[in-house]
Amino acid sequence: MDKAIELRSKCKHFRVLVIGRANAGKTTLLKKVCNSIEDPEIFSPEGEKVLSRGLHDIENQLIFKSNPQFVFHDSRGFESGSVEEMENVKTFIAKQAGGNNLSEQLHAIWRPMKNFSTLMLPAKASLRYCLYPTNQSYQVPVIAIFTKFDGLVNEAYTELIDSELELSHEGAEKKQLEKAQELLDNRYREPLRRARYPPSDNVQVDDMRVDDSNCNELIAKTAEALTDDTLRLLFVSVQQNNIDLCIEYALKE
C-alpha cells in the first residue's frame, strides 16, 4: 500500500490513447470504465478547459469527473485511410514516449472496433514499441476491443437458417451465440494473432448500453499486458469499479 501511495504522489494519471472511428462505441465504453453517465470534460495539454466539443485534437485530454485518474486521448479518422491522421497518431506516440515525466507518457492503447473487417494496425505504423528515456524499448500494450458483437450474432443466425442443418427459428436462436463465437475466433481472432503487428491482446465486450454490462475483462487484460510492474501498480491503483482486480493484485504482491 505504501508503494502505491508513493507512486500516486508522483503520477496521478493513467494515460490511454483510444484509436477508432466514430460510432465504434468509444465514448460508451469509456463511460462504463469510469462508471459515468456524463460525457467527459475536455482539457488542452496545458490543462485549460476546451469549451467547444466540435473541436478535435489528439493532444486534448478527456477526463471524467467520476474517475479523473484516467486520462484519455481520442484519435478519430484512423480507420478511414487518412494519412494525416495516421501521422498525427505516430507523432503523438513518439512525443509521449519522449517525456521524462511518467505521468506524461502514454501507458496503453485501446482499439475499439465496430467493423471487424478493419482490425489490423497499418503494416507500416507499428504502434506497439516506443523508445523511452532509459534507452530501453518499452512495449505500449495495444488491446483490440470488439464492441459490436451483436452484429455478428445476427450474421450467425442467418448462416444457421441458411445452412443444411434445416434448423427452425428456435433452433437457430439456441445455437447463434455459439456460432457467433466460432465466427469471431476463426475469422478475426486467429488472423489477428498472426498479423505482422498483432495487438497485445483482444477482448469482446457486451453491449455497453446495458446496465449490468461491465469492462472487467478489458481492465484485467490491460493489467496483464503491462510489462512494467510500476505501471501495472499505477493502473490497478486508479481502479474504482474493479475491486476484484485490486484484491487479486494485492494477493500476488
Side-chain angles (χ1 to χ4, degrees), residues 18-248:
V18 186
I19 298 178
R21 64 172 60 183
N23 300 320
K26 293 182 293 183
T27 301
T28 305
L29 178 76
L30 299 184
K31 284 183 177 179
K32 186 66 67 170
V33 169
C34 293
N35 193 26
S36 175
I37 60 174
E38 300 178 348
D39 288 335
E41 294 183 312
I42 304 176
F43 297 89
S44 70
E46 294 74 29
E48 299 178 357
K49 192 170 183 178
V50 178
L51 299 179
S52 176
R53 299 187 61 83
L55 297 176
H56 171 67
D57 188 336
I58 192 174
E59 297 276 356
N60 286 341
Q61 305 172 100
L62 281 62
I63 300 176
F64 290 88
K65 290 182 179 178
S66 57
N67 193 345
Q69 288 80 23
F70 271 114
V71 172
F72 299 103
H73 295 267
D74 182 14
S75 171
R76 299 176 187 173
F78 191 79
E79 292 178 348
S80 65
S82 169
V83 175
E84 180 182 0
E85 184 65 22
M86 187 183 301
E87 289 302 319
N88 286 342
V89 171
K90 292 167 64 178
T91 300
F92 174 75
I93 292 175
K95 175 184 175 183
Q96 300 304 123
N100 292 317
N101 191 331
L102 178 64
S103 64
E104 296 175 356
Q105 295 172 1
L106 184 63
H107 305 136
I109 297 173
W110 287 349
R111 186 85 158 86
M113 289 166 292
K114 173 184 177 183
N115 185 351
F116 289 170
S117 66
T118 55
L119 296 180
M120 315 305 180
L121 292 171
K124 294 183 179 180
S126 173
L127 305 181
R128 297 190 66 192
Y129 296 96
C130 296
L131 191 63
Y132 274 64
T134 56
N135 293 324
Q136 295 179 347
S137 182
Y138 169 70
Q139 180 179 339
V140 177
V142 180
I143 309 295
I145 308 168
F146 302 101
T147 61
K148 300 292 182 178
F149 185 68
D150 52 338
L152 206 55
V153 173
N154 294 335
E155 182 179 344
Y157 173 84
T158 301
E159 286 196 15
L160 288 168
I161 288 293
D162 295 339
S163 70
E164 298 178 355
L165 298 176
E166 298 183 354
L167 293 173
S168 65
H169 289 291
E170 291 78 9
E173 287 180 349
K174 289 181 180 179
K175 291 180 174 292
Q176 64 182 4
L177 287 178
E178 180 181 351
K179 180 65 175 179
Q181 286 291 346
E182 179 184 321
L183 293 176
L184 180 62
D185 291 339
N186 294 339
R187 289 187 188 177
Y188 306 110
R189 276 183 163 152
E190 281 305 316
L192 192 59
R193 294 187 185 104
R194 297 194 300 268
R196 183 178 180 185
Y197 298 114
S200 307
D201 212 330
N202 64 83
V203 298
Q204 166 202 331
V205 297
D206 297 327
D207 189 341
M208 293 291 102
R209 295 167 296 182
V210 178
D211 289 340
D212 61 354
S213 62
N214 62 68
C215 297
N216 291 350
E217 185 180 10
L218 171 60
I219 297 301
K221 289 200 171 184
T222 301
E224 292 173 5
L226 291 165
T227 57
D228 185 273
D229 290 339
T230 300
L231 283 179
R232 187 181 296 113
L233 177 60
L234 172 64
F235 182 67
V236 171
S237 71
V238 302
Q239 300 306 313
Q240 293 186 357
N241 305 326
N242 197 326
I243 302 301
D244 290 342
L245 177 66
C246 298
I247 294 174
E248 178 183 351

